[in-house]
Amino acid sequence: MSDHTDERETFHHDPIGHAEARAGMTVGELANSYGEAGIGASDIHEAVDIYSQMLDDDVTTFFGLAGAMVPTGMRAIVSELIRDGHIDVLVTTGANCTHDSIEAIGGKHHHGEVTPEGQTEREHDETLRDEGVDRIYNVYLPQEHFVLFENHLRDEVFSTLEDEGPVSIQRMTEELGRANSEVNEREDVPEDAGVLAAAYENDVPVYCPAFQDSVLGLQAWMYSQTSEFTIDALADMTQITDIAYEADSAGAMVVGGGVPKNYVLQTMLVSPDAYDYAVQLTMDPSNTGGLSGATLDEARSWGKLEKDARNVSVYADATITLPLVVAAARERHSTEA
């Protein structure tokens, strides 16, 4: 066997260590331990390292929140990041806005089942349909909460906007955040006022570029049929691109894919600079050619990331990875501050 040690240009002596899982570890220590390992563990470690840098005050952070992250229990993480000044721009879905508002005004999501004993999944969903319960995998939402939400929109949000002429989607989410905050306090709702309320209270813009694809969008459309209420879907573009244009340093935290991911990343296409940092938490594979699984390295080819940007994609359930990455990064950031 020939000796190639003198010919190796890409190999560095960096042996794999072994992660620890011992009693009393902090989440930051666990994430550091992941750095000793390979595959997904090392990606988590890299994500924590990059995201902790994005928490610096001089980095403008764009946060993309797709999927059903609010009804599955990630709501408080996002609202706390907003309140602590770690999100400068939030881009999310109409579904997340809907479910966030439902909890703000007194509704709740509940633990459920995918396939109860003795029933097929189809039989179970037919039973839920008869009982007026909507299912998001293993999360239940009683349909009467949508009636509560509809009344909230009509009485507290749309009626206050219809005299303003065409309003931007961001203006609508801002007004929804105000209403959520006020009703939450007025009705003494035990649940926190949530993401949109935190954004309203801290002057963080919330963009929802595909809000029509949600109960929120359906309700807005129905209200517009009998009132002067209208939405200007292009109005947000100037505001969000101005924020990107003026950022000295920018980071993208992308949870899930779809429209929020692309909307966050495409803002840099009309800016002289691009993202300096980016973390993606997704389960979509890149080899399908779809945007949701596309790597952040691919985004670099479009000019969405700087050539020397620090970035990593973590392929796992975001309800597992988001709390871990955020907690570990915040622990590190507070230690270094």
Side-chain angles (χ1 to χ4, degrees), residues 285-307:
S286 61
N287 59 0
T288 63
L291 178 126
S292 291
T295 65
L296 294 172
D297 289 322
E298 181 181 300
R300 182 178 278 103
S301 76
W302 291 77
K304 299 172 182 177
L305 270 66
E306 295 287 358
K307 287 184 178 180

Side-chain angles (χ1 to χ4, degrees), residues 44-68:
I44 287 281
H45 176 266
E46 181 75 0
V48 169
D49 195 40
I50 295 171
Y51 188 55
S52 65
Q53 289 189 284
M54 289 166 55
L55 298 179
D56 289 344
D57 290 341
D58 61 348
V59 179
T60 301
T61 302
F62 292 70
F63 198 102
L65 188 70

Side-chain angles (χ1 to χ4, degrees), residues 27-28 30-35 37-52 253 279-281 312-318 320-326 328-329 332:
V27 67
L30 178 62
N32 287 338
S33 176
Y34 279 7
I39 311 182
S42 60
D43 289 338
I44 287 281
H45 176 266
E46 181 75 0
V48 169
D49 195 40
I50 295 171
Y51 188 55
S52 65
M253 177 61 154
V279 173
Q280 172 179 234
L281 309 178
V312 66
S313 295
V314 179
Y315 293 92
D317 179 355
I320 299 171
T321 58
L322 178 64
L324 178 57
V325 170
V326 169
R332 180 180 299 186

